Amino acid sequence: MIISRVMMSFLLLLLPQVASAQFDDFMKEIDKLSLPGAKTLGDDKIISGLKEALSVGTENTVKLTGNTDGFLKNEAIKILLPEKLQSMDKALRLAGFGPQVDELVVSMNRAAEQAAPLAKPIFKDAVTNMSFDDAKKILDGGDTAATDYFQGKTRDQLATAFKPEVEKTMSQVGVTTQYKELVGQYTTLPFVKVPAFNLDDYIVGKSLDGLFHTLALEEQQIRTNPAARVTDLLQEVFSQ
């Protein structure tokens, strides 16, 4: 609470050893603290701090997902066979094709891991082109406001960039071949039918889901954990 000028004058009158010049200097400092916005950050610093936070968060996200086992060993984002094919999964395992199903799952996650680094330049462009109004809304928003912003600005672009990489990786690691072989094995079983399904689109979609899930966790860390604010600017902006 800012002590009023009258009260401060009264107190200092009781302390004759305090010089008049000291009193004037002290009161100037008190007046500064009472000015509107004296403790607020400037617009440039706010947007610079937020952009730095987003750069750190997206960089960490790509590092966490875009390496071997980044998807496969993370149970929160691991890509499994889709619900439409769960009956095929169970039937094939019962028929002794469990190892082949597991290999297909590994291959799908490898495709996602190979595609993840493609997000880096797209995220960077989204940060660079962010307006002050966008930055302020994100700073004042919920724990995943930045992630929501990226979802809206980049998901379609990411899907376009990911698809050819996923298709190429799937071809290299044999996902498509494995999938077709498993479908062939499944259709030999009595009374079964394979639903129409686009495996490429499924893997792209799950890759993006995993990417944004990881980004949301990184954002929450920066907002709530001072230890995650790895630069002076981040500490200053987010402590406000």
Side-chain angles (χ1 to χ4, degrees), residues 146-180:
T147 303
D148 296 339
Y149 170 83
F150 277 118
Q151 284 258 30
K153 292 289 184 180
T154 69
R155 187 171 182 111
D156 289 346
Q157 190 178 355
L158 287 168
T160 299
F162 274 35
K163 188 161 186 177
E165 181 64 25
V166 165
E167 290 173 346
K168 182 179 76 174
T169 305
M170 287 172 61
S171 177
Q172 289 174 345
V173 300
V175 177
T176 303
T177 301
Q178 291 169 333
Y179 177 65
K180 289 179 178 178

Side-chain angles (χ1 to χ4, degrees), residues 5-6 13 19 37 40 66 74 114 119 124 135 140 154 172 184 188 223:
R5 181 183 288 272
V6 174
L13 285 173
T40 60
N74 184 339
Q114 289 290 324
K124 184 177 180 180
D140 296 336
T154 69
Q172 289 174 345
T188 64
R223 287 183 182 273

Side-chain angles (χ1 to χ4, degrees), residues 32-108:
K32 286 180 183 179
L33 292 175
S34 66
L35 292 174
K39 291 188 176 181
T40 60
L41 297 173
D43 290 356
D44 289 344
K45 182 163 283 190
I46 289 174
I47 195 166
S48 294
L50 183 62
K51 285 187 175 183
E52 187 166 306
L54 297 179
S55 295
V56 170
T58 53
E59 181 83 18
N60 290 342
T61 296
V62 172
K63 285 181 180 178
L64 289 168
T65 57
N67 58 71
T68 301
D69 293 336
F71 273 81
L72 185 65
K73 294 296 178 68
N74 184 339
E75 292 300 322
I77 63 174
K78 180 179 179 180
I79 301 175
L80 304 174
L81 284 181
E83 290 185 9
K84 281 187 175 182
L85 302 181
Q86 287 301 311
S87 59
M88 185 179 87
D89 184 327
K90 294 177 182 178
L92 287 171
R93 290 185 185 279
L94 288 173
F97 294 100
Q100 289 89 333
V101 174
D102 291 337
E103 185 59 33
L104 174 60
V105 170
V106 170
S107 298
M108 290 193 299

